[in-house]
Every structure is written in C-alpha cells, then in structure tokens.
Amino acid sequence: MEDLNAAIPLTHEQKIAVALNDLPAADLPELIYTDGPNGIRGADGATAFPSGLAVAASFDVDLAERFGIALGRESLAAGRNGILAPGLDIARVAWAGRIAEALGEDPVLVGDVGAAIVRGIQSQGVLAVPKHFVANNFEYLRTGLGPLGRRTAAIDVKVTPRALREVYAEPFRRALMAGGAGAVLSSYNRIGGDYVSESTDILNILREWGWDGFITPDFLHAVRDDARALAAGLDFPALGGTAGRTDAMVRGLSEQGLDDIVRHTRWAVAQADVKVAPPTTEPVDDHRSQDLAQEILERGSVLLANRGILPLDRDTIGSIALVGIDNVDHLIVMGGSAAVTLSPTRIALLADALAECGPVEVTTIAGSRGDVPLPTWSGQVDVTITDETTGAITHRTLDQFALHEPLVPATEDWSAVLSAVFVPELTGEHLISLTFGGEASLYLNDELLASGYREASPMIHGPEYPVQATVMLQAGTPATLRVEYQSGPAFRIPPIVTPGVKVGLAEPDDRIAAAAKAATAADVAVVVVGRVSGEAMDVESLSLPGDQERLVREIARANPNTVVVTCGAGPIVMPWADDVAAVLHVWNPGERFAPALARLMFGDAEPGGRLPLTFPISEQTTPVSTLAQYPGIDGVADYSEDLLVGYRWFHAHQHRPAFAFGHGLGYTAFSIEGIESLTVAESQIDVRVRIRNDGARVGRTVVQLYQTPPAAAESPARTLVGFAPIELGAGAGAKVSVTIPLRDLAIWDAEHAAYRVIEGQYLFEAGLSSTDIGASASATLGSRVYPTSSTMKAESS
C-alpha cells in the first residue's frame, strides 16, 4: 500500500477542496459510488447474486472473498470505483426489511464474512464502504416523517455503550481492521438522542481501534446539522457534492481538522489502491460472476428439515408437480439499494431446469399469485383528502381504488380516507392487497385487515411491497372497504417514487384445488413460496403472506412427498413444517435459482448452508426486547437486554427455536467426537476439534465454537467465537483447527475506556449449531487489558 500521506504536502486550499468532496483537487481519484451488497444496482447486465444472507450461511470466508472480487470486478465494469457494501447491520429485529442484504445476527459471523467481502472488493481497486454504522436494525422511522425540508427526527435507539461496541460495532471492527475497509457509511438513526453522523462519541468508536479511513453519511437524511457533523468528525458531507456543508464551515475548521480529513482520505484511497473509474462497459454479462452466483446459492441454501425425500432418487421419481407461486421473479431479489435489475434472458424456468436435471416429467400449476399487488379494484371510491399543512379538505370520487399524488392537490404532506362498497359475486376466501408509500390501514366492515409503513413501494428498484390479507365473504352481501392513509414517511423522487395507495382484490378461484389435484397425481410435489422485503419497509408478519400457507397445507395433505422451498430474508414462521417431507430455504436466490434448485433437489449439489439467524416457532417466541419496544410509538427503540441478540436470547431464556442459529442439514450426517486440544498462547487460543462424516457420501458441514465466560463478565452464555467449514468423504474423520484471538474475548470496560479480558474460567463448546453441542473444554485465563487508540494517545500526552 502506497503511503499517500507521505506524498507532497497539500496547500491549504487543496485541503479545503478535499473537505468539500473535491478529491481530484488533491490529485486523488474521484469516487463514483454504486450500491451493491447483492450485486451492482442499476447496471445493465449486472449479476443478480443471492442475498447477503446466502453468503453468510455458507460460513465460508474464502467464498465470501470470491464474492467480493466479483462485486469489485462488476463495479468497475459499470464505471464505478466505490461500492456501498457489505451490509454489516446485525439482524436484531426479525421483521426488519433489510435483513437480506446484511449477514446475520452474530457479530463474529457478520464481521468475519464481511471482512472477507471487503478484501475481495478492494483487491480489484474498488473502495469498499461497509454500512450502516451503527445500530441501524430496522426501517421504521429510520429517516423520520414528512417532506424533505420538514422531515421529523429519526428513530432514537437506546443501547448501552457496551452492547453498542460488542454487538453492533463489532462487525465493523472486524471488517475495518481485519478486512482493511477504507471507508464507512454512517447511518440515519439517532443513538441516545444524537444522530450518528453528528456524534463525536459514536464516530470516535471507529477511531478507538486505530482505524484511519474516512466516514461518509448515508443519502440525504443522515445529516441534519452539517456544522455539527463536521465538528464531530464526519469526513465528507455526502456521497457526492457538498450537501449542506459550506465553504465557510470548512474554513472555520482547524488546520489539524483539515489534515485529519486529508489523512483519512489518502489512507482509504491507498488501502484499496483505488482506480480511476473507467467508462462503463455495460451490459456487464460476467459469466464468472453468474457461475459464482449459482455456487453461492448451492453453498448457502439451508436444508431446514428432511424426512428422507431429498435428494430425489432418479430411479424412483418419474414425475414432479411444481405447484407454488405463479412467477417467482419478485422473490429472486430484494428491493431498494440492494436490488439488482434482472436480465430476463438469463432467468431459466424452474420447470425446465427440473425436467432437464431429472430427467423427469414436470407439471406446473400456479397455486398462488405470490407476494404481489393484486389487480386494482375498480368501482366507485369516495375519497376525502386533507392537506396536513393547511387543513384544507378536498372530496373526490374515483373509478378505482388507487390514489397517487398527481390526483392530490399540490401539497407534500397529506392524508386521505378512501371508501367503497364491494358486493362479492362468489362465496369463499377473497385475497386483498394493500400497496402504498406512506402509512396505511385497510378496514373491512370497520375491522382492521392490514396495515403497514413504507417509505416507498417499490423503493427505486426491485419488487413492490404489498400487504396481503385473506377474508371469507358471502356472495351478494355488501362489504365496505376503507383505507386510512398518511403520506408521512413516503419518499418523493418523481417520477420514480411518489406517495400513494392502492387496493387490489382477487375473488375465489380454483388455483389451490388445481394445485392439490396435480400434487396427488405426481410422485413428488415441490411448492415454491416466499415473502418480499427490502429497503424502506419492514414486514408486518413472519408468516407466509396471503394464501401461501393454505397452499402449503393443502399440498401436504394431497401428497406426503411434499418439498417446500421458501424464498425471502427470513426468518419465516413455519407451523406447517412437520407436515411436509422437506423444507429448503433459499433466501433471495438470485438469477441462477432454477439450475441451482434442480441440482440441489437431485443431489448433484448438496445444500451447504447453516442458518446465520434463528428461526422462531412463532412471532411470540422472538426476543422480548424486540416485541416490547419495536417500534416504539414515541420514536424510541429501547434495546433492553441489549447483549441478548438472536440465539443468545433464546439460550438465556431457555426458549426452543424452530431452527437454531447454525442449523442446517446436508445429505450425510456428521458428529463432533471431541476437543482434541485447547492451547492458550500469548495472544490467542488454539482449539482442535475432532469431527467425523458418519454417512455414506461426501459432504460439508461447519464446526462452530462457542464460549461462555466467567460470571464476573456479566456476558451472555454460549456465544460464537469461531467457525470452520469442512468437507469430508464418507466415513472420514478430521481434526479441525479454530484460532481465537484473546482480544475477541474482551468486554468493554466503560469505566476505564478499554477492552478487558475478565480473569477466570472460560467454557468452550464445539457443535454443529447453537443447540447441537458435541464437546466442551475449559481454560483459565488471566486478566488482560486492550487500551483503545484514544486511551493510548491520552496516556502518552
């Protein structure tokens, strides 16, 4: 890495230019960014990779680094030399819309996989910008409410300094210090009343580690007071341009402050050896990336349950009924910043892939429309619109149940009540969808059917974000539909994103009955179902939307050999899991879904994924801190029990999950035979674990190492400290080594502003998931102190 800070000193005016985001003025390459946690957003022909959770589910840092290399390569092909990735937000809130673009619920897994992605990206001369620092764990009120100029305060997160560092900032420490990331993207939210981008205390966490890169804020709403942000240590005012930072503000900064910004910028550019952004060569069409996308999906898909049906036996299986969602394209990618524009000519049909891989006869029946907006209901709709700024009221009559800003009097802050009388022509289950940007509630005969919060739908790229509900109605009996709507959180990026609301309706049909009939006649039934999510929304339920759960149950009754393939971020509540032969979770599977699924079904590839987050039995058995305080109606998220995130909460409260963190089946069986050795060295602990493939075919698994510290640490029991994927032949055994830096066992000592290893006995457990423990060993450690960079500077002065 070239030491650019040892280069020719800059003039004062050049320093001013750098602080105002003009890097070429200092002979540095202009940074042109792209979104890209799951692939390059907006680039023609870019590879639609599986979501970040699929990469994390592999527990394979080598695979993650190759993924990063592909992201960097495609970024340059799209004319971009900076990529806002990877996502390092901890999956604290199960309903959070952006879970899929990050890497799970455990800081060690998220940080180590994230660090590998960073190394891959920056090996290509592209700057990696991990996001969103910090405690950005759901979308509700992330930017506040109202128009741009009058946006209210963002969500305020209450979290202890210790949990802030050990849980939420820890993935960034690993990605920055071990991965070498040159920059960080600061988040929208507040912590303890202060915006992250305007808080010296929070931004200085990054400097505690001795990291010397630059900090830049998220788009538009992350900075509310530019002068305060500059004083707090925010290096740049925006991802491009000066936003609200003025020349006068920068000239008021001390020479040392200017030197710091220059040093951070030069260090970042040198760290990644950033290339000048080349002209785009779109369409990208990178075959290496496309093949890697399939490998990631095969290695990251998680076989949650299998009662012997998988892999399918080509000698006995002659027919398959593919009876799931009509068109799965809306589930292939997530929405928002992490969306990738699909290349239709590269998307193979599931039926064709299964038929070819078998070979086998495949019958396709669409049992569900999926998680999509339904056809907009047509008929007389009475509308009352209120201008929330002036109080002016307007009445309108529409001929369909849809209202968007072109139909609203000129105002940026409005609410509306829409009502209509619907007379069903058929008796039975009706499906209703509510699609909107803003806040909306749907009532049927004054009973709440559906509600939600959206900043947009869709969010620039990717699928729409409907809320679906099912209701039994009687033919000829009038029903009153009413929607109460507020533009509130909705973004305005005309003509791409505008506030509005629409209601869709589908009357009863024979889709599910026809699917069940086809399933009865086939040797195996494959049901592909899923849930949409993405930026600018949180899901309203962890269950499958609309009629999909009923579809699964009906197919399971029709054919005992039913394989359910679930798509989406997860976790998904699966009360039907015991009724089916197998459940395979494929996340947002990306463009190579069809060939990968066919290979996984027939055993040409083994599902290698292990869950990077916990799947609960029900929505009532998720971390109580989430249910109690998310979302806080006062705009505050109280992270009580804030060290107990994900599986830590389940273990501490002795709640059994449906599928545990680290869980995943393959096509063989493994057993942990013991801990061969545990050696405490000067700066690390070396653990050797004996493992054996007890099955009759080659397979992969992940050895997971957990630790429980002494009681004096007041820390959660059984937390992940290391992992190692391994492939073994049938009947083969091996000794797997896992190294734990002693620094990783340190807790934050707020009183002394240092990280400290607590003296006492530590329990180490080796397992195949957080609940499947096969061996344990103990070690006694002495007290160790790891001072922060700021502490050392204070002591030296």
Side-chain angles (χ1 to χ4, degrees), residues 33-40 67-68 71 82-88 101 103 114 117-119 121-122 126-132 175 181-185:
Y33 297 105
T34 179
D35 284 309
N38 302 337
I40 309 306
F67 171 58
L71 290 179
I83 183 167
L84 307 181
L88 301 180
E101 69 182 84
L103 303 168
I117 295 172
V118 166
R119 287 193 294 271
I121 291 171
Q122 296 193 161
V126 175
L127 182 69
V129 188
K131 59 184 185 180
H132 308 83
V184 163
L185 188 78

Side-chain angles (χ1 to χ4, degrees), residues 547-573:
D547 58 2
Q548 294 182 55
E549 188 168 306
R550 183 165 75 88
L551 170 66
V552 170
R553 292 186 184 278
E554 291 298 327
I555 301 305
R557 289 191 189 99
N559 190 327
N561 293 331
T562 293
V563 178
V564 179
V565 180
T566 52
C567 304
I572 293 175
V573 170

